[in-house]
């Protein structure tokens, strides 16, 4: 399917959509006027699709510099009466959380949906935090879809509820829902109104102590009314299968429960909570009052389980609750049908005949992800290691950041020693610089620098730190699939945009030593690194060369590296110190796979025997 | 309809997600319910990639261990890594040309012998179809058509729920027009080679 088909007018049409694509369709059917994000897996494809279709669909879309800005763009649009949508990965909501708390107080006029894509089991994240807590922290309604069709339908519904109660809605998906593909029946697309009007109302939109106190009261009233709704909502659905055992679940876990229950014909009743916050206390009471045993199946934290226990305590019931807290189900990581079945077996005292599962006893080599062949980051890492060795520096600390370059953690580079979050490379370098006498070399990508690096760099200079900051500028947000950022001449909808210069930002932050280098030139790069390493203060080197994935999209490569085996002394330096995936060993000699080689010429420059050359 | 479960695995960059989407859309167009799971992101940079498809009535696309009817492996070692997905009634289609992990020279465990991999797959499944998809793809005109060789192989497996025409229609809708001749050739060849096994 061509992604433009997502714009199809159509009733009774069906498309095979990724959860993230269904999200976009939902936004279109809801008449969203403004959408914003900072790219982050598992939510990235929402932005990729919006960026392709927004001009045609007549809505405004942007890649904001970070999630906080994205949320603020959407909040202001909603305050002006437009329907707005902002979406991010779970940790992105941490960045946006400061403003999230306030928009809960002030509320919205046009509907506003905030989507958080959580990542249980951490397929591409630094943690697996459970953002259902944010609905509780901010005290705003939460909706949790289980499949692409539901995402699409619930997007529409969420905007209606948001507008009715004038509150933003938090939608939580997880990787397995965002990256699930399924059939989606289309509904009519709603034309969006794309100019709003902001009617001033400081009592509502400016939370200073006096007004904020009132706003909190208003929020509580709204949430009480919405709890009536969650108690009665058909979205919170009971699957009655008889018996005295009940399962309470939602999101992706609901799918596992249903597959396991139906396949094994288990006698358990299932309550699916989709409109999951405000927690529907009365509905829970009604569901559990005649049951003997209750199982709560949820990913990641025991959020609903504790709330069910609270209901039991409040109503003075005596019921046994099974879940994470009593060890029936695992406390962390994502679930699967196998895990859910095992848990239900304990609760139901069943001993189902197990499928015999064979696992190989051969120890298999792992296959970690790595930098692409020809990746400019590899060249930069190679040179920094050379420079550090050449100067005889020891115990160098390498704070790093979030992007493809985090893969510098792998040997032989091992140039990743400390990481907290987006932008933390620079802030933590300041700390290391004050706390130790060790040399510090810090890495951050271009997009990450715009996202959260700038305030930290100002801090570094102002507080007189000493470290080398390498800005790995590959002209894209590579890790999440190559989205643009403020350093590029394009905006989120493919239009022309003013380019913000990293060089000038660095200078404006007060950095005295700042140089730009092409990392594919090894000698020059190593030289500049050596110079920078000896500088007493904050030194910045901008290692600038486009990501190979964009490079190869733009033009065909011009040369391929080729090894002359007569000259090769089998020192294996290219294999061991460079580890370009295009270079491999076979039958005791080194080879280069012309299919994978991107012609970056780095191996040609580093081979001590000059055995590698460029072939047209 | 009891779901037909397909587990597809291989290495990032082999076209696994595209292939899975072709199958899924074909099922949908054929009036069968279908769900699929794919993993994006970090996994793409030369790491292991896998997708799971259930064609039939199912809520979740995640297959229970030992529950795959078909294991379609784009790389032999990745077939072995996924062996816990199959049972003795399952079919396996695997490519025999290997891709070494980039860090293999430093790895404690060597890359297993192909014959050992194939023996294990053979003895724990109903039938193994092993083909050199890389060579077939090159012969068809481009190594990147490897995924269509594998798709052809899958369609030839007994019990595969979709027929050739439906799959080819879905290929036309999902692949660039100019690469269609090569892709169709690769598909047909994969199909033929498996059918003859
Ligand atoms: S996507 Fe680009 S930046 Fe990322 S590893 Fe590949 S070449 Fe390097
Ligand atoms: S030129 Fe050398 S280092 Fe660069 S991609 Fe080709 S083989 Fe790898």
């Amino acid at each position: 399917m061509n992604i433009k088909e997502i714009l199809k007018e159509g009733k009774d049409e069906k498309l095979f959509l990724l959860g993230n694509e269904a999200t976009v369709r939902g936004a279109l059917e809801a008449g969203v006027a403004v959408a914003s994000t900072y790219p982050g897996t598992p939510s990235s494809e929402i932005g990729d699709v919006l960026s392709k279709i927004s001009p045609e669909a007549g809505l405004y879309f942007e890649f904001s510099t970070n999630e906080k800005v994205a949320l603020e763009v959407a909040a202001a649009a909603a305050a002006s009466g437009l329907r707005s949508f902002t979406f991010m990965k779970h940790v992105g909501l941490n960045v946006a959380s400061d403003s999230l708390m306030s928009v809960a107080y002030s509320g919205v006029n046009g509907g506003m949906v905030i989507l958080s894509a959580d990542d249980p089991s951490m397929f591409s994240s630094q943690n697996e935090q459970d953002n259902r807590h944010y609905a509780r922290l901010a005290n705003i309604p939460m909706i949790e879809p289980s499949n692409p069709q539901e995402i699409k339908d619930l997007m529409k519904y969420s905007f209606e509820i948001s507008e009715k109660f004038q509150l933003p809605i938090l939608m939580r998906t997880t990787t397995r829902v965002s990256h699930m593909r399924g059939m989606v029946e289309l509904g009519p697309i709603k034309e969006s109104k794309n100019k709003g009007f902001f009617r001033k109302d400081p009592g509502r939109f400016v939370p200073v102590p006096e007004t904020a106190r009132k706003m909190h009261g208003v929020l509580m009233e709204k949430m009480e009314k919405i709890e009536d709704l969650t108690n009665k909502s058909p979205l919170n659905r009971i699957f009655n299968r008889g018996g005295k055992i009940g399962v309470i679940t939602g999101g992706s876990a609901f799918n596992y429960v249903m597959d396991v229950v139906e396949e094994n014909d288990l006698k358990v009743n299932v309550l699916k909570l989709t409109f999951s916050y405000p927690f529907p206390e009365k509905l829970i009471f009604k569901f559990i009052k005649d049951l003997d045993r209750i199982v709560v199946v949820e990913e990641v934290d025991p959020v609903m389980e504790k709330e069910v226990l609270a209901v039991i305590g409040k109503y003075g019931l005596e019921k046994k609750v099974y879940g994470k807290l009593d060890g029936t189900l695992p406390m962390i990581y994502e679930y699967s049908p196998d895990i859910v079945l095992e848990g239900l077996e304990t609760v139901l005292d069943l001993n189902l005949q197990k499928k015999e599962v064979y696992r190989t006893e051969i120890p298999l080599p792992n296959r970690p992800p790595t930098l692409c062949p020809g990746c400019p980051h590899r060249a930069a890492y190679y040179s920094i290691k050379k420079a550090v060795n050449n100067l005889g520096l020891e115990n160098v600390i390498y704070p790093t950041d979030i992007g493809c370059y985090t893969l510098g953690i792998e040997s032989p580079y091992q140039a990743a020693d400390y990481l907290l979050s987006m932008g933390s490379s620079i802030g933590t370098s300041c700390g290391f610089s004050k706390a130790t006498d060790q040399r510090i070399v810090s890495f951050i990508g271009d997009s990450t620098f715009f996202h959260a690096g700038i305030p930290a760099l100002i801090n570094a200079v102002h507080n007189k730190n000493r470290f080398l900051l390498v800005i790995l500028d590959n002209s894209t947000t590579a890790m999440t699939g190559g989205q643009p950022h403020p350093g590029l001449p394009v905006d989120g909808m493919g239009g022309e945009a003013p380019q913000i210069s990293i060089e000038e930002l660095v200078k404006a932050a007060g950095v005295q030593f700042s140089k730009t280098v092409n990392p594919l030139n090894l000698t020059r790069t190593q030289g500049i690194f050596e110079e920078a390493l000896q500088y007493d203060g904050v030194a910045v080197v901008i290692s600038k060369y486009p990501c190979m994935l964009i490079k190869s999209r733009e033009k065909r490569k011009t040369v391929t590296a080729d090894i002359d085996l007569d000259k090769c002394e089998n020192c294996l330096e290219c294999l061991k110190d460079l580890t370009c995936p295009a270079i491999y060993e076979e039958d005791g000699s080194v080879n280069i796979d012309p299919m994978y080689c991107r012609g970056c010429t780095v191996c040609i420059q580093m081979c001590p025997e000059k055995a590698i050359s460029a072939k047209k | 309809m009891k779901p037909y479960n397909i587990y597809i695995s291989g290495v990032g960059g082999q076209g696994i997600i595209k292939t899975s989407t072709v199958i899924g859309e074909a099922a949908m167009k054929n009036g069968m319910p279908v769900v699929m799971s794919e993993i994006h992101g970090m996994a793409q940079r030369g790491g292991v990639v896998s997708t799971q498809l259930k064609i039939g009535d199912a809520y979740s696309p995640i297959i229970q261990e030992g529950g795959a009817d078909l294991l379609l492996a784009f790389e032999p070692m990745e077939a072995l890594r996924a062996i816990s997905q199959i049972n003795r009634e399952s079919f396996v289609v695997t490519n025999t040309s290997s891709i070494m992990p980039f860090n293999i020279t430093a790895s404690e465990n060597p890359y297993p012998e192909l014959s050992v991999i194939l023996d294990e797959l053979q003895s724990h499944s109903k039938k193994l179809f092993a083909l050199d998809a890389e060579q077939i793809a090159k012969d068809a005109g481009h190594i990147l058509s490897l995924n269509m060789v594998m798709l052809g192989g899958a369609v030839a497996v007994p019990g595969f729920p979709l027929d050739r025409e439906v799959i080819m229609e879905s290929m036309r809708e999902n692949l660039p027009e100019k690469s269609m001749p090569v892709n169709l050739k690769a598909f047909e060849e994969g199909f033929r080679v498996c059918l003859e096994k």
Side-chain angles (χ1 to χ4, degrees):
Chain A
M1 159 203 146
N2 179 328
I3 199 59
K4 288 273 167 80
E5 282 186 46
I6 213 163
L7 287 166
K8 252 190 193 165
E9 258 318 317
K11 275 187 60 181
D12 310 326
E13 286 261 15
K14 271 191 215 150
L15 293 177
F16 189 52
L17 296 182
L18 195 64
N20 283 338
E21 295 166 354
T23 312
V24 174
R25 178 68 194 196
L28 295 172
E29 292 184 10
V32 165
V34 171
S36 57
T37 190
Y38 181 83
T41 310
S43 75
S44 311
E45 298 79 15
I46 304 175
D48 293 343
V49 177
L50 277 171
S51 127
K52 289 196 189 99
I53 63 151
S54 287
E56 204 172 319
L59 62 89
Y60 173 77
F61 169 67
E62 73 172 41
F63 288 112
S64 310
T65 40
N66 64 38
E67 294 86 354
K68 181 166 181 283
V69 175
L71 184 131
E72 289 158 356
V73 167
S80 311
L82 298 181
R83 286 194 166 184
S84 73
F85 175 45
T86 185
F87 50 97
M88 54 203 69
K89 69 182 293 172
H90 58 336
V91 289
L93 198 54
N94 298 335
V95 178
S97 60
D98 210 352
S99 290
L100 171 70
M101 297 301 134
S102 297
V103 77
Y105 275 25
S106 57
V108 295
N109 288 329
M112 174 176 179
V113 174
I114 304 160
L115 182 144
S116 160
D118 290 11
D119 191 16
S121 281
M122 297 155 280
F123 290 93
S124 47
S125 309
Q126 64 266 41
N127 73 31
E128 58 173 350
Q129 69 183 52
D130 186 335
N131 277 7
R132 290 178 299 166
H133 293 295
Y134 269 115
R136 279 121 183 122
L137 185 58
N139 203 19
I140 52 173
M142 168 158 276
I143 295 219
E144 296 179 74
S146 303
N147 59 50
Q149 179 76 54
E150 279 190 10
I151 297 184
K152 195 218 73 177
D153 295 341
L154 291 171
M155 279 290 286
K156 247 164 71 181
Y157 178 74
S158 299
F159 276 101
E160 283 158 23
I161 295 297
S162 170
E163 236 155 58
K164 181 159 173 212
F165 293 93
Q166 306 211 320
L167 261 188
I169 307 286
L170 185 54
M171 183 180 276
R172 181 216 193 200
T173 62
T174 55
T175 299
R176 294 293 183 179
V177 178
S178 303
H179 286 169
M180 172 178 184
R181 223 174 251 282
M183 297 185 290
V184 176
E185 252 173 68
L186 307 184
I189 288 186
K190 187 172 151 121
E191 203 167 321
S192 64
K193 112 172 174 205
N194 46 25
K195 271 289 168 258
F197 185 83
F198 178 66
R199 227 172 288 287
K200 298 183 194 204
D201 187 355
R204 195 178 147 200
F205 289 121
V206 187
V208 292
E210 194 193 310
T211 51
R213 275 185 216 114
K214 290 196 195 108
M215 291 177 189
H216 198 182
V218 174
L219 173 60
M220 297 307 286
E221 277 167 29
K222 287 182 190 170
M223 287 301 276
E224 232 169 81
K225 284 200 196 113
I226 301 178
E227 193 175 324
D228 282 347
L229 198 62
T230 57
N231 276 315
K232 292 187 207 117
S233 171
L235 294 174
N236 296 332
R237 178 169 166 209
I238 295 173
F239 296 77
N240 238 320
R241 303 174 51 90
K244 290 282 189 189
I245 296 172
V247 175
I248 300 172
T249 185
S252 193
F254 161 78
N255 296 337
Y256 307 145
V257 169
M258 288 311 279
D259 275 350
V260 162
V261 163
E262 289 194 349
E263 189 180 325
N264 300 288
D265 205 11
L266 305 181
K267 240 181 165 248
V268 296
N269 303 298
V270 179
L271 169 59
K272 176 189 199 290
L273 287 189
T274 303
F275 201 161
S276 60
Y277 195 78
F279 197 63
E281 238 181 71
K282 294 207 181 85
L283 172 65
I284 297 290
F285 174 71
K286 200 177 91 194
F287 179 66
I288 64 176
K289 70 177 189 318
D290 298 322
L291 296 175
D292 292 339
R293 300 176 186 189
I294 300 136
V295 198
V296 183
V297 185
E298 58 189 326
E299 294 171 315
V300 174
D301 291 341
V303 174
M304 296 197 293
E305 190 177 347
K306 287 184 181 165
E307 284 168 351
V308 169
L309 285 168
V311 172
I312 288 176
K314 187 168 166 183
Y315 289 83
L317 306 176
E318 265 188 48
K319 306 269 173 198
K320 173 97 180 90
V321 175
Y322 300 80
K324 292 170 184 277
L325 296 172
D326 70 332
T328 303
L329 288 157
M331 188 57 99
I332 56 177
Y333 306 145
E334 71 164 359
Y335 284 176
S336 67
D338 288 295
I339 291 173
V340 171
L341 181 58
E342 211 183 297
L344 289 183
E345 271 186 284
T346 336
V347 181
L348 294 162
D349 300 319
L350 288 176
N351 209 345
L352 297 172
Q353 175 122 36
K354 279 265 147 58
K355 279 200 195 93
E356 157 201 11
V357 171
Y358 174 77
R359 275 172 230 286
T360 179
E361 271 159 27
I362 303 171
L364 298 179
N366 61 358
R367 196 186 285 282
T370 181
L371 299 169
C372 301
C375 174
H377 300 333
R378 176 179 290 104
Y381 283 135
Y382 180 81
S383 296
I384 195 77
K385 285 280 154 154
K386 281 262 164 176
V388 164
N389 284 341
N390 207 25
L391 296 177
L393 303 177
E394 275 170 14
N395 299 318
V396 176
I397 311 174
Y398 298 99
T400 191
D401 228 299
I402 295 184
C404 288
Y405 50 93
T406 318
L407 294 170
I409 191 175
E410 296 286 346
S411 89
Y413 305 112
Q414 295 170 322
D417 294 328
Y418 199 76
L419 170 63
L420 296 174
S421 60
M422 290 287 286
S424 72
S425 57
I426 308 180
T428 59
S429 294
C430 297
F432 286 123
S433 146
K434 294 295 178 197
T436 72
D437 284 329
Q438 286 161 272
R439 282 308 166 80
I440 300 147
V441 180
S442 187
F443 298 100
I444 192 168
D446 40 355
S447 191
T448 310
F449 179 71
F450 285 113
H451 177 288
I454 299 165
L457 184 59
I458 294 171
N459 183 74
V461 175
H462 180 70
N463 290 311
K464 302 185 287 284
N465 287 287
R466 178 188 180 170
F467 61 87
L468 163 57
L469 172 66
V470 183
I471 302 181
L472 298 160
D473 179 358
N474 60 1
S475 304
T476 188
T477 316
M479 181 87 254
T480 44
Q483 295 81 2
H485 60 59
L488 299 168
V490 281
D491 65 18
M493 299 186 290
E496 263 181 60
Q499 222 172 332
I500 315 296
S501 150
I502 295 181
E503 274 92 346
E504 281 169 29
L505 282 174
V506 167
K507 286 201 185 108
V511 173
Q512 301 293 325
F513 184 110
S514 147
K515 295 201 167 165
T516 300
V517 67
N518 173 358
L520 297 192
N521 183 336
L522 294 186
T523 324
R524 196 173 133 71
T525 306
Q526 184 182 334
I528 287 183
F529 280 154
E530 285 180 17
E531 208 186 312
L533 280 165
Q534 295 171 68
Y535 182 77
D536 192 17
V538 177
V540 173
V541 174
I542 302 168
S543 168
K544 191 169 177 151
Y545 196 82
C547 161
M548 269 302 156
L549 292 190
I550 358 182
K551 257 289 176 270
S552 45
R553 242 182 271 155
E554 274 169 5
K555 60 166 195 199
R556 300 237 149 240
K557 62 177 169 180
T558 45
V559 295
T560 304
D562 189 40
I563 298 193
D564 180 349
L565 287 181
D566 292 337
K567 286 195 196 157
C568 172
E569 293 284 338
N570 244 0
C571 68
L572 303 189
E573 261 182 51
C574 56
L575 263 181
K576 294 200 165 124
D577 296 348
L578 193 62
T579 57
C580 169
I583 309 179
Y584 64 99
E585 192 181 3
E586 203 172 67
D587 310 326
S589 64
V590 179
N591 291 278
I592 293 178
D593 191 328
M595 157 89 186
Y596 289 113
C597 170
R598 305 292 339 151
C600 75
T601 77
V602 166
C603 59
I604 302 176
Q605 297 171 58
M606 59 80 65
C607 171
E609 305 299 328
K610 300 265 165 283
I612 311 179
S613 59
K615 204 172 66 179
K616 279 272 174 199
Chain B
M1 173 187 168
K2 188 182 166 301
Y4 183 85
N5 299 339
I6 311 174
Y7 192 95
I8 308 184
S9 76
V11 178
Q14 285 189 305
I16 289 168
I17 291 181
K18 192 86 230 166
T19 310
S20 314
T21 317
V22 169
I23 299 175
E25 269 196 38
M28 183 183 82
K29 294 261 158 80
N30 214 27
M32 298 164 162
V34 54
V35 282
M36 166 179 160
S37 174
E38 51 192 74
I39 289 295
H40 298 229
M42 203 63 149
Q44 285 176 324
R45 310 277 173 269
V48 181
V49 170
S50 67
T51 64
Q52 313 186 34
L53 275 144
K54 287 185 186 166
I55 302 176
D57 293 316
Y59 285 86
S60 144
I62 308 300
I63 301 169
Q64 270 182 269
E65 282 201 316
D69 297 293
L70 168 64
L71 168 62
L72 184 61
F74 284 43
E75 203 280 344
M77 183 171 77
E78 294 317 320
L80 188 52
R81 207 191 298 278
I83 200 167
S84 63
Q85 302 295 334
I86 59 167
N87 59 60
R88 284 176 196 280
E89 294 305 308
S90 315
F91 290 92
V92 178
V93 180
T94 186
N95 175 14
T96 55
S97 54
S98 52
I99 299 177
M100 290 293 148
F102 80 97
N103 60 345
I104 192 74
T105 24
S107 165
E108 245 173 70
N109 307 325
Y111 191 99
E113 291 286 335
L114 182 61
S115 59
V116 174
I117 295 179
L118 298 183
D119 277 352
E120 288 233 342
L121 292 168
Q122 179 91 59
S123 53
H124 291 92
S125 64
K126 181 151 189 175
K127 187 165 177 187
L128 168 69
F129 301 84
L131 65 166
D132 186 346
E134 186 175 320
Q135 195 52 51
I136 299 173
K138 282 182 186 158
D139 293 343
H142 203 290
I143 185 166
L144 285 180
S145 65
L146 182 145
N147 59 344
M148 292 301 117
V149 177
M150 297 306 298
L151 181 58
V155 177
V157 165
F160 190 82
L162 299 160
D163 57 33
R164 284 173 45 170
E165 281 64 38
V166 181
I167 291 282
M168 289 198 300
E169 186 52 38
S170 181
M171 283 168 66
R172 274 184 214 103
E173 279 169 24
N174 281 284
L175 305 171
E177 208 182 310
K178 68 174 198 304
S179 64
M180 268 323 274
V182 173
N183 279 326
L184 278 175
K185 205 165 157 202
F187 174 82
E188 294 283 7
E189 224 9 56
F191 181 81
R192 192 186 60 77
V193 170
C194 268
L195 211 56
E196 284 171 7
K197 295 220 181 229

